[in-house]
Amino acid sequence: MRKLNRIVLINAASFDYVEFPVGGHTQVIGVNGHGKSTLLRTILFFYLGTNEKSPYALHETKADFVSYYLGTPPSYLIYEVNRADGEPGFHLAVTRPAGRIQFLFIDAPYRKEYYVDGNLVRPVESV
């Protein structure tokens, strides 16, 4: 059975770079405005696969998920998935290079250097 292993936000949702391991029982605590709801919304986006406003309760912005969380390109939401059969995992990168959502399926585990070169985020063409 495949399972979500890690979520990475690069230049997305007001974060420069953040990795969040997913699995088992995880508790996320913190003060207001530090990304708890953002994390939940990125997980919901992965499992529901819709860009509509209603499932994500973005009432404060009235914006769809991708427009709100994937700001100025290049920006990425990355989902790393483990395979159950012992094969290497794969990852899915969601980006919005020209105002339209784009999904990249990469048959390899996530590596930061695919997307970030020093302090610069690589454009989607060079990934």
Side-chain angles (χ1 to χ4, degrees), residues 2-109:
R2 296 179 181 129
K3 95 177 178 71
L4 185 59
N5 182 50
R6 176 173 32 173
I7 297 173
V8 181
L9 288 86
I10 302 173
N11 197 25
S14 301
F15 293 104
D16 292 333
Y17 185 89
V18 67
E19 288 189 35
F20 188 82
V22 179
H25 297 282
T26 304
Q27 295 180 355
V28 180
I29 58 173
V31 298
N32 292 346
H34 281 77
K36 298 178 301 296
S37 295
T38 297
L39 176 63
L40 176 61
R41 289 178 182 130
T42 59
I43 293 170
L44 287 172
F45 180 73
F46 178 78
Y47 284 108
L48 297 178
T50 180
N51 194 30
E52 295 176 5
K53 291 181 273 192
S54 57
Y56 308 109
L58 294 175
H59 306 293
E60 66 275 8
T61 64
K62 306 280 194 256
D64 61 72
F65 177 81
V66 173
S67 297
Y68 186 72
Y69 286 105
L70 291 176
T72 307
S75 57
Y76 302 94
L77 294 174
I78 298 170
Y79 300 96
E80 184 182 61
V81 179
N82 284 342
R83 293 183 171 125
D85 55 5
E87 294 290 317
F90 63 93
H91 68 280
L92 165 69
V94 182
T95 188
R96 194 173 63 111
R100 296 183 59 133
I101 190 170
Q102 185 175 14
F103 295 89
L104 304 169
F105 293 86
I106 296 93
D107 194 16

Side-chain angles (χ1 to χ4, degrees), residues 110-124:
Y110 167 77
R111 291 180 47 192
K112 184 177 180 179
E113 54 268 15
Y114 292 162
Y115 299 91
V116 180
D117 183 14
N119 289 332
L120 299 173
V121 179
R122 295 177 189 265
V124 69

